[in-house]
Amino acid sequence: MSEKKKFERPVIKKVQTGMTNKFGTRTEFDPITHIDKVPVKELIEKHGSPLYVVSEQTIRSTYQDLYRAFSTRYPKVQMAWSYKTNYLDAVCRVFHQEGSWAEVVSGFEYDKALANGISGEHIIFNGPDKDEAALEKAITKKSLIHIDHFDELYSIIEIANELNITARVAIRINMDTGIFPQWTRFGFNYDNGEAWEVINRIMLQEKLELIGLHAHIGTYIMSALPYGVAASKLANLAASVEKKFGHNVKYIDLGGGFASKNTLKGAYLSGTDTCPSFDEYAEAITSALVRSEIKPEHLPMLILETGRALIDDAGYILGSVIANKRMPDGKRSMIIDVGVNFLFTSFWYEHKITPAQSFSHHTEDTIIYGPLCMNIDIIREHITLPPLKRGDHVVISRIGAYNMTQWMQFINLRPSIVMIDMDGKAHVIRENETLNTVKQNERIPEHLTDINKK
Amino acid sequence: MQIKKNIAVSDSGFVFDPTSGESYTLNTVGVEIINLLKAGLHEDEIKHKILEEYEVSASAYDKSFIDFVAMLKNYELVEYAD
Amino acid sequence: MKRKIVVAVTGLNNTDNPGPGIPVIRGIRDSQLFDVRIIGLAYENLEPGIYMHDHVDKTYQVPYPSTGSDALIKRLEYINSIENIDVLIPNFDAELYTFMKSSKKLLQMGIHTFLPTLEQFEERHKANLVEFGQKYEIDVPFSTSIFSEADIYSLPNSFSYPVMVKGKFYDAYIAYNAEQVKMHFNKISSKWGVPIIIQEFIKGTEVNVVALGDGTGQTIGAVPMRKQYITDKGKAWGGITLDDAKMLELTRKTIKATKWRGGMELELIKTNENRYYLLEINPRIPAWVYLAVGAGQNHPEALVRLALGEKVEPYSDYEVGKMFVRYSYDLICNIGEFEKLSTTGEL
């Protein structure tokens, strides 16, 4: 008997006049059957669906690409891995192996960095919330404390005097770089002279060493130019410090905020086309520093806390089709097992969602819902997809940033995370949760132990 | 249930409805089913033919057929004999 | 003898709000230098140019710019393997960015373009117009970009109504109060995304220049025009070439300062005090370019020559008082053509 033909759900689609049709998008949907040579099907069979996948290969090559872009243009470059973007130990350690320091914004993250083997001197402590205990630890361990507000400055002065240890501090500076919105809520303002004022106070303190200057101008900055503006403003301050106090700051930290290749909701063009390259960011920043008033022999180290742009591409979430539904208006909807609680970036990205198996080029405009029993659980409002059937798999790309830290255990348990190593071997780097994961921290008051008694 | 008589289906899967002036495209299985419907075959006969020809389970076919027919109804391409 | 070349053109939407594709094609077809085969590149299946076989020899559908350049390049590789394209002229604002980003890859395929640089393209963006005016000392209306509805209520006090509400790529509406701004904001942003540009409304006569820069600062051609009648979409229905030295000077100044590369249209407002405000630089040939051809300056032909790397002498003259009057025309075609395009993507 001859082999039977591959079946695809029968589809009829209205020819839209004056709108995109299948030729508009067909090539977007080459299936993703493998990640780093490991079959998607096999990953799901072994580790369940949904499943987060992290590519070590992509982390390393992206890191090296960024490092090359800056280090070929500037003599001293140091990366600091932004823990909040993805603080899975395995992920952090790949960055640390590549040479990254740690950039943390809480006592919890600070301890996580220490536990990953980073020495205190290589931890940058950022953010508005550093409690006394964390500050004490950071001062003792000679960490780089980036001061966010006056209250913190005075806490540090007190603690440092008490401990009789010199605290190594930098200040976070906000400024007008020509972009909107301006992140004025963090740090001290450059343009109204506040930052200069703080620097003067620090320089008068015996137990504080002004070691660096820091700015983090925003997130998802689609242009390299504002970084040039920020770099030259920080360099101006550094030059003023040199002139007035004869003191040279050791580093200038431009923070993070580089865009990844995701397409923002509301954007017309694809993020893969509009996202500036690492070289463009590097050119803007390094040329501003080199051109500045700082004497060449005192050029400070350049620190970057790039998070999103380093990890987004390395992360995937694999999912499965739960059901297809036809809406009353004829529009097709598809429910998958990935909800917004595991992919909250779907609130602002048009995530790239690709079938994991081959298909014909017939496609339909589809709305993708997550599995939560919640009206807001929408992964894509419009996507052109071929017909998929229950149990088919999809690959959601570029989700490595924030989704594995800002995820929520809600309605269902959080799934496993695997990392595919350089040799194409998959390792579980975080086990899937069980009922016990959720229950272990719960406590039941005595009078509620027996539900049959009142 | 049958496909309206004046509906034209080309080999390339292009459907023109002269009543509404709308046009549609079909994928391969869609063309096949619509042609069988036009030829006057009963639902069960069509199912039998498709299951014989394609690698698909009866239940998967049934689900896809229900959806397909719903779309044909939605587009008003079918009519029912009294 | 005329040289045989293949030119691919987008913007075949010769509708009541026409794209420049067909006028560009007419210019090239008028050329005494070239014997041209025209390949139409269409996004939508009812772009009239697809069915205008006197103008377009063959049309292929191409993916929308929003799909990303990879998909576009893939499709163009296929088309080029059949057609051997010499020059490609994109005519939509929304696609220019993608084509500029892809121009090196296109050249490797043997396809020449003649487009502004990304820097030129970015700095003349409506959202950057204020800085552009400062940098090159050209009068521009005050404007600001907004990203959300909430921003409407925190607009600087310097604005007084009415204001112009403009999309990043297309669409411009006049609004007399915040409610109208909001309405236009939603309408435009749903189509073209953010930012939306809020621009000071300047009273005066709208005048335009079609021009071509060779990329070194030299103006190859420039023809000023006043719209004589404007449709409800703000498009010229009729227009007439002007003898206006100030407009030409402003054009040359702009091209020289920016070293503009490619076609462009300057939208200007001439106030009653005889001041010229630059409202917009459209970074491509405008739809009324055939008026320039009729007045003696064949910009599409010159652009093709520049794209092919030829040295082109600047036009020094044009006929003043030439007019264009637009008309519409009902083409008759068969559903078979529509079917062919819809199922194969080619016609």
Side-chain angles (χ1 to χ4, degrees):
Chain A
M1 196 187 123
S2 67
E3 194 140 309
K4 288 188 180 183
K5 286 191 258 180
K6 186 174 164 7
F7 180 80
E8 184 177 73
R9 289 197 304 123
V11 179
I12 180 162
K13 192 175 143 194
K14 193 184 271 187
V15 177
Q16 300 285 359
T17 46
M19 278 176 63
T20 180
N21 64 27
K22 62 189 177 188
F23 296 98
T25 44
R26 63 190 286 187
T27 46
E28 191 183 356
F29 297 109
D30 285 339
I32 299 182
T33 54
H34 292 67
I35 295 172
D36 290 359
K37 295 187 181 140
V38 184
V40 169
K41 216 175 151 198
E42 188 187 302
L43 284 167
I44 288 182
E45 269 166 19
K46 245 193 197 150
H47 304 284
S49 174
L51 176 70
Y52 290 94
V53 180
V54 177
S55 158
E56 183 180 345
Q57 166 100 47
T58 307
I59 297 180
R60 290 192 191 272
S61 62
T62 311
Y63 177 93
Q64 285 156 12
D65 196 26
L66 178 68
Y67 188 76
R68 176 203 47 75
F70 281 88
S71 61
T72 50
R73 291 178 168 87
Y74 196 77
K76 281 174 278 181
V77 180
Q78 177 63 48
M79 304 291 166
W81 175 240
S82 155
Y83 264 51
K84 66 178 178 294
T85 313
N86 189 321
Y87 46 59
L88 286 164
D89 285 343
V91 169
C92 295
R93 282 164 189 247
V94 175
F95 283 110
H96 295 327
Q97 278 188 350
E98 288 291 333
S100 264
W101 294 355
E103 185 262 322
V104 304
V105 292
S106 69
F108 153 69
E109 287 189 358
Y110 189 94
D111 291 341
K112 218 161 190 287
L114 284 179
N116 275 326
I118 291 293
S119 81
E121 291 154 57
H122 292 161
I123 300 178
I124 294 172
F125 199 176
N126 273 331
D129 177 23
K130 312 179 187 87
D131 61 29
E132 257 76 19
L135 282 175
E136 199 177 309
K137 195 187 283 182
I139 292 170
T140 315
K141 292 190 179 294
K142 302 272 175 204
S143 295
L144 310 164
I145 306 172
H146 289 192
I147 304 171
D148 187 77
H149 43 74
F150 276 110
D151 286 321
E152 185 175 291
L153 171 64
Y154 285 100
S155 292
I156 293 172
I157 293 172
E158 266 173 42
I159 298 170
N161 283 331
E162 229 167 78
L163 296 170
N164 199 22
I165 301 173
T166 303
R168 302 161 86 209
V169 299
I171 58 166
R172 166 96 179 242
I173 296 162
N174 68 64
M175 60 183 73
D176 181 6
T177 57
I179 54 165
F180 179 89
Q182 249 193 70
W183 276 14
T184 48
R185 57 173 287 189
F186 301 111
F188 304 94
N189 189 258
Y190 173 90
D191 304 288
N192 67 9
E194 190 187 27
W196 179 238
E197 160 89 23
V198 180
I199 288 173
N200 278 278
R201 284 177 195 232
I202 291 173
M203 293 307 296
L204 294 176
Q205 288 293 329
E206 206 181 314
K207 287 292 166 205
L208 296 190
E209 183 196 355
L210 181 72
I211 188 160
L213 298 171
H214 171 216
H216 186 129
I217 57 174
T219 187
Y220 221 85
I221 311 295
M222 300 285 284
S223 160
L225 299 176
Y227 282 96
V229 176
S232 61
K233 284 186 172 178
L234 290 189
N236 275 346
L237 280 181
S240 303
V241 172
E242 187 176 20
K243 208 165 148 198
K244 179 167 175 186
F245 299 100
H247 173 76
N248 296 300
V249 297
K250 299 261 186 335
Y251 64 83
I252 279 180
D253 179 345
L254 262 303
F258 296 168
S260 77
K261 293 191 173 65
N262 267 306
T263 304
L264 287 176
K265 281 196 175 173
Y268 180 71
L269 294 167
S270 161
T272 47
D273 289 342
T274 53
C275 170
S277 66
F278 288 153
D279 285 296
E280 286 169 62
Y281 288 121
E283 188 60 35
I285 290 172
T286 58
S287 61
L289 292 181
V290 171
R291 274 199 312 259
S292 74
E293 301 279 304
I294 305 174
K295 294 193 182 85
E297 64 271 27
H298 292 139
L299 269 185
M301 171 192 274
L302 169 62
I303 295 182
L304 295 166
E305 301 168 357
T306 312
R308 184 196 310 278
L310 280 180
I311 190 69
D312 233 2
D313 278 11
Y316 301 83
I317 186 164
L318 314 182
S320 307
V321 177
I322 294 174
N324 284 291
K325 269 189 174 177
R326 188 62 65 182
M327 309 309 278
D329 60 359
K331 194 174 155 114
R332 175 187 166 206
S333 75
M334 190 169 87
I335 307 169
I336 61 173
D337 58 3
V338 178
V340 289
N341 55 330
F342 299 154
L343 191 68
F344 90 107
T345 47
S346 53
F347 287 124
W348 51 85
Y349 292 148
E350 305 279 15
H351 274 298
K352 185 182 169 205
I353 302 179
T354 321
Q357 50 278 311
S358 63
F359 46 82
S360 80
H361 61 264
H362 283 268
T363 55
E364 236 184 316
D365 186 29
T366 307
I367 177 164
I368 299 184
Y369 293 119
L372 305 178
C373 205
M374 299 277 290
N375 199 39
I376 57 159
D377 193 19
I378 301 170
I379 300 295
R380 282 287 299 265
E381 278 163 60
H382 289 281
I383 183 167
T384 315
L385 277 181
L388 297 175
K389 53 182 190 295
R390 182 176 163 92
D392 278 352
H393 303 313
V394 294
V395 177
I396 308 178
S397 308
R398 294 198 184 98
I399 60 102
Y402 295 103
N403 285 306
M404 288 166 239
T405 47
Q406 291 189 39
W407 53 349
M408 236 193 290
Q409 186 274 310
F410 176 60
I411 294 185
N412 217 330
L413 300 165
R414 282 177 286 197
S416 299
I417 303 177
V418 300
M419 176 184 275
I420 300 176
D421 70 17
M422 304 299 284
D423 302 320
K425 189 167 176 305
H427 306 262
V428 175
I429 58 170
R430 191 178 190 275
E431 297 279 356
N432 60 296
E433 294 176 341
T434 61
L435 182 56
N436 195 40
T437 321
V438 179
K439 284 178 66 92
Q440 65 184 353
N441 288 342
E442 292 191 30
R443 299 291 176 266
I444 296 165
E446 182 67 37
H447 68 286
L448 297 176
T449 42
D450 187 349
I451 61 161
N452 295 316
K453 242 191 335 200
K454 196 176 171 185
Chain B
M1 181 195 68
Q2 57 206 39
I3 301 289
K4 284 187 186 165
K5 292 212 170 50
N6 59 353
I7 304 281
V9 184
S10 78
D11 294 341
S12 59
F14 187 83
V15 177
F16 176 59
D17 175 2
T19 315
S20 66
E22 296 283 4
S23 343
Y24 307 88
T25 54
L26 294 159
N27 65 353
T28 321
V29 180
V31 178
E32 186 146 356
I33 293 178
I34 229 173
N35 278 328
L36 293 171
L37 281 168
K38 265 184 87 78
L41 265 69
H42 191 262
E43 278 181 33
D44 294 338
E45 297 169 284
I46 295 173
K47 179 176 174 180
H48 186 73
K49 269 186 92 81
I50 297 287
L51 290 189
E52 205 158 71
E53 195 180 342
Y54 291 92
E55 186 63 59
V56 61
S57 72
S59 70
Y61 170 79
D62 282 344
K63 279 188 282 179
S64 68
F65 184 79
I66 291 167
D67 182 56
F68 186 61
V69 170
M71 287 312 288
L72 296 180
K73 280 184 198 158
N74 185 33
Y75 292 144
E76 296 177 18
L77 298 176
V78 288
E79 58 192 5
Y80 293 88
D82 303 317
Chain C
M1 212 185 82
K2 288 192 190 179
R3 252 174 80 194
K4 274 191 189 281
I5 56 166
V6 180
V7 179
V9 179
T10 71
L12 306 181
N13 52 329
N14 215 44
T15 60
D16 60 339
N17 181 5
I22 295 297
V24 165
I25 292 168
R26 289 180 71 194
I28 302 171
R29 289 230 184 258
D30 283 359
S31 169
Q32 296 305 307
L33 304 168
F34 300 120
D35 173 12
V36 65
R37 173 171 165 82
I38 296 287
I39 302 303
L41 304 175
Y43 293 104
E44 299 173 356
N45 49 19
L46 276 188
E47 292 182 25
I50 300 169
Y51 305 93
M52 297 167 73
H53 304 305
D54 291 347
H55 293 84
V56 182
D57 294 298
K58 169 136 194 198
T59 301
Y60 295 83
Q61 283 195 300
V62 288
Y64 268 80
S66 52
T67 318
S69 54
D70 291 349
L72 177 72
I73 291 286
K74 244 178 158 170
R75 181 74 176 148
L76 286 174
E77 271 169 359
Y78 164 78
I79 298 168
N80 196 46
S81 71
I82 300 167
E83 302 292 353
N84 257 321
I85 299 164
D86 295 301
V87 178
L88 190 155
I89 307 178
N91 288 306
F92 283 118
D93 290 347
E95 71 186 358
L96 282 176
Y97 184 89
T98 314
F99 275 103
M100 287 186 300
K101 277 253 170 179
S102 312
S103 60
K104 263 192 200 148
K105 277 189 194 152
L106 291 174
L107 194 60
Q108 283 164 7
M109 288 155 60
I111 302 176
H112 301 79
T113 54
F114 198 72
L115 298 167
T117 63
L118 271 175
E119 199 189 346
Q120 292 167 345
F121 182 75
E122 287 298 332
E123 72 174 4
R124 60 87 240 171
H125 248 301
K126 284 176 228 179
N128 304 335
L129 196 63
V130 174
E131 292 81 25
F132 185 89
Q134 279 166 358
K135 184 169 169 191
Y136 298 115
E137 293 175 351
I138 292 167
D139 287 333
V140 299
F142 181 69
S143 70
T144 192
S145 305
I146 62 172
F147 293 81
S148 76
E149 249 187 65
D151 296 343
I152 294 169
Y153 299 98
S154 52
L155 281 174
N157 293 328
S158 43
F159 277 111
S160 58
Y161 289 100
V163 295
M164 294 303 293
V165 184
K166 295 184 165 186
K168 191 172 175 188
F169 297 118
Y170 300 103
D171 289 350
Y173 300 98
I174 186 163
Y176 292 90
N177 55 49
E179 272 313 303
Q180 289 182 358
V181 174
K182 199 167 132 185
M183 189 177 84
H184 297 316
F185 178 92
N186 289 326
K187 201 164 156 185
I188 301 172
S189 62
S190 67
K191 230 163 126 186
W192 302 109
V194 289
I196 301 296
I197 294 99
I198 309 294
Q199 197 173 67
E200 176 190 1
F201 179 80
I202 291 176
K203 212 166 165 246
T205 316
E206 190 180 333
V207 284
N208 303 64
V209 186
V210 53
L212 179 64
D214 70 354
T216 68
Q218 183 170 233
T219 301
I220 297 295
V223 178
M225 174 274 280
R226 183 173 72 81
K227 296 174 179 176
Q228 291 171 297
Y229 189 88
I230 296 175
T231 67
D232 53 2
K233 291 218 166 80
K235 299 291 149 182
W237 181 336
I240 185 161
T241 57
L242 305 173
D243 177 16
D244 188 325
K246 260 182 139 170
M247 283 171 73
L248 288 175
E249 194 192 301
L250 183 65
T251 307
R252 289 203 190 94
K253 182 179 164 187
T254 308
I255 289 181
K256 192 172 176 196
T258 57
K259 295 200 167 57
W260 190 264
R261 189 169 185 274
M264 63 152 47
E265 178 191 27
L266 296 179
E267 288 186 17
L268 307 165
I269 289 274
K270 180 183 176 185
T271 67
N272 294 337
E273 294 78 43
N274 250 342
R275 271 180 76 167
Y276 289 85
Y277 283 85
L278 177 65
L279 293 189
E280 236 170 80
I281 296 180
N282 290 317
R284 42 139 186 100
I285 299 175
W288 57 275
V289 67
Y290 199 70
L291 176 66
V293 180
Q297 296 195 2
N298 193 335
H299 291 194
E301 178 196 59
L303 187 135
V304 168
R305 294 180 60 201
L306 286 167
L308 291 169
E310 292 178 20
K311 174 134 184 59
V312 180
E313 284 303 314
Y315 285 107
S316 54
D317 209 6
Y318 59 90
E319 216 176 307
V320 174
K322 271 276 180 196
M323 286 171 55
F324 79 90
V325 183
R326 239 171 224 165
Y327 71 110
S328 59
Y329 179 95
D330 298 350
L331 261 179
I332 304 303
C333 32
N334 292 318
I335 190 164
E337 298 201 326
F338 184 67
E339 174 187 342
K340 189 157 180 268
L341 186 79
S342 302
T343 53
T344 65
E346 298 176 19
L347 182 64

